[in-house]
Amino acid sequence: MLVKTKDNSNTLYSTKYNQHFHDLKTGAIQESLIKHVLPAFNFHKEKRYLKILDICFGLGYNTFSTINYILENNLDKKIEIFSPELDDKLIESLKEFEFPQEFEKISHIIKELLETKKYKDENIQIELFIGNARKYIKTIKDLDIVYQDAFSSEVNRELWTVEYFKDIFNASNNEVIVTTYSIASNVRLSLYKAGFEVFEINPTGKRKQTIAIKSKKDINAKYIDMQLKQERNKELKALYD
């Protein structure tokens, strides 16, 4: 079901998970930028080559907003994006989807990716994998960025567990950043149990977000001491398969 969001970009409603793909009050493009692209690219300001895992592809906004952001800001970066998506019918339907005007300049990329599941030019390489994300992650190495944007843990638990995040940890390099909209304590604890250090950001002053990195260091974010939180709340449990 096609739904218009606040920034006039379209999204869909998933009848399988009973959730919209994007926050209607934020807008699909703005959500991708605020929750994923900007935190990740601010973290990796100096790095020119970035390997990105986009979980899951969905309507493609995170992937396409990333490309758009690089082009609009004339960034000297090359990117490689890996994105699994379980729903092949969804991907097929996107060939007729009304993407926003902002993506017009990359319409050739969108078209080729949806038709062939791959795209490559001098600075951009994308692989769209149709299938199980958990299996796909184990084939990837040296990730710099992970957009953790699966449907919520209440309805899509398998992409929020300790075991899942351990696979993400193993697929990433030491400078990785994981971005996610979720601020649930059990999700944060799952990240921590998988080896990540957890931080909180609030870029708009309206809504908190979670980022995770492999080692504790001084960054522009609030450190969340998950060990202390677990000691204070004995009922807090991580998510497991």
Side-chain angles (χ1 to χ4, degrees), residues 41 47-52 70 75-80 121-125 144:
F41 275 68
K47 197 160 189 179
R48 292 188 173 182
Y49 184 86
L50 295 169
K51 294 181 71 173
I52 302 169
I70 291 171
L75 300 183
D76 183 18
K77 292 186 185 294
K78 293 185 177 183
I79 58 169
E80 192 172 356
D121 63 28
E122 185 179 352
N123 297 312
I124 301 166
Q125 186 170 338
D144 299 287

Side-chain angles (χ1 to χ4, degrees), residues 49-62:
Y49 184 86
L50 295 169
K51 294 181 71 173
I52 302 169
L53 177 63
D54 180 10
I55 299 284
C56 294
F57 186 80
L59 309 186
Y61 275 94
N62 292 338

Side-chain angles (χ1 to χ4, degrees), residues 205-217:
K206 296 179 180 179
R207 184 170 294 181
K208 298 173 184 178
Q209 302 170 203
T210 300
I211 61 173
I213 57 179
K214 281 197 174 183
S215 57
K216 184 181 178 183
K217 56 185 174 182

Side-chain angles (χ1 to χ4, degrees), residues 103-227:
F103 290 168
E104 181 61 32
K105 66 178 71 68
I106 62 170
S107 59
H108 63 290
I109 297 177
I110 296 173
K111 181 179 180 181
E112 184 172 332
L113 182 64
L114 295 179
E115 287 181 353
T116 69
K117 309 302 184 291
K118 293 181 183 295
Y119 177 82
K120 186 175 183 179
D121 63 28
E122 185 179 352
N123 297 312
I124 301 166
Q125 186 170 338
I126 313 169
E127 178 177 272
L128 173 53
F129 173 78
I130 306 301
N132 187 296
R134 294 285 296 263
K135 293 180 180 179
Y136 181 64
I137 291 165
K138 294 179 181 180
T139 70
I140 304 171
K141 296 294 181 184
D142 201 31
L143 293 168
D144 299 287
I145 295 169
V146 178
Y147 298 151
Q148 175 59 24
D149 199 22
F151 283 106
S152 72
S153 57
E154 290 84 2
V155 297
N156 197 18
R157 181 188 179 98
E158 62 269 26
L159 295 184
W160 298 93
T161 64
V162 174
E163 293 87 350
Y164 163 78
F165 284 128
K166 281 183 177 179
D167 287 340
I168 295 289
F169 189 95
N170 292 333
S172 305
N173 62 41
N174 289 332
E175 297 303 315
V176 72
I177 179 172
V178 179
T179 62
T180 182
Y181 62 86
S182 178
I183 58 170
S185 293
N186 57 359
V187 167
R188 288 177 167 179
L189 186 59
S190 297
L191 279 161
Y192 176 73
K193 292 289 186 181
F196 289 101
E197 296 290 350
V198 178
F199 292 79
E200 183 176 277
I201 58 174
N202 191 351
T204 65
K206 296 179 180 179
R207 184 170 294 181
K208 298 173 184 178
Q209 302 170 203
T210 300
I211 61 173
I213 57 179
K214 281 197 174 183
S215 57
K216 184 181 178 183
K217 56 185 174 182
D218 187 18
I219 60 174
N220 187 25
K222 177 185 176 183
Y223 177 67
I224 306 298
D225 190 334
M226 293 310 303
Q227 182 175 346

